Amino acid sequence: MNQKDIKISFDPPLTIGEESLTEITMREPLVKDMRHVDRLGGTDLEKEVVMISRLTRINPEDLDRLSVNQYKQLQDHYAAFFTGHGQN
């Protein structure tokens, strides 16, 4: 795990496919991630889902099945990379 990676805990666990996950890792975004997502076009939310997918290695289709509260937790951790505030 990279020093800038963030471990995110979930209670209740996330259901991704057939798996229940109590913890995932989100890696720090790179400029190439931002460029890739920007080229895709779409709405801000669609771009964000693709970015979070890239950073967590969770398929966008699986992210679509998360509750709003679970997704908000991912959003907050993603935003922390840009604000410099760590999330735990």
Side-chain angles (χ1 to χ4, degrees):
M1 185 168 93
N2 184 314
Q3 184 175 3
K4 298 285 185 171
D5 292 349
I6 297 174
K7 285 195 174 240
I8 306 167
S9 298
F10 290 90
D11 185 23
L14 296 180
T15 300
I16 305 296
E18 301 286 320
E19 293 184 69
S20 283
L21 303 174
T22 57
E23 184 176 87
I24 64 167
T25 300
M26 180 181 287
R27 69 172 174 80
E28 182 177 22
L30 303 173
V31 172
K32 74 177 184 176
D33 295 311
M34 295 168 60
R35 290 170 44 101
H36 172 82
V37 170
D38 192 54
R39 282 192 298 266
L40 295 176
T43 67
D44 289 343
L45 179 58
E46 289 167 331
K47 290 179 183 180
E48 182 184 70
V49 168
V50 171
M51 178 65 85
I52 290 175
S53 172
R54 288 175 68 92
L55 302 180
T56 61
R57 295 184 172 190
I58 296 173
N59 292 326
E61 296 80 15
D62 290 324
L63 291 175
D64 285 343
R65 290 188 271 283
L66 298 181
S67 72
V68 171
N69 288 329
Q70 291 170 324
Y71 187 74
K72 172 91 171 76
Q73 199 172 347
L74 293 174
Q75 283 179 312
D76 291 347
H77 285 82
Y78 172 62
F81 286 116
F82 298 96
T83 63
H85 297 100
Q87 297 281 327
N88 289 330

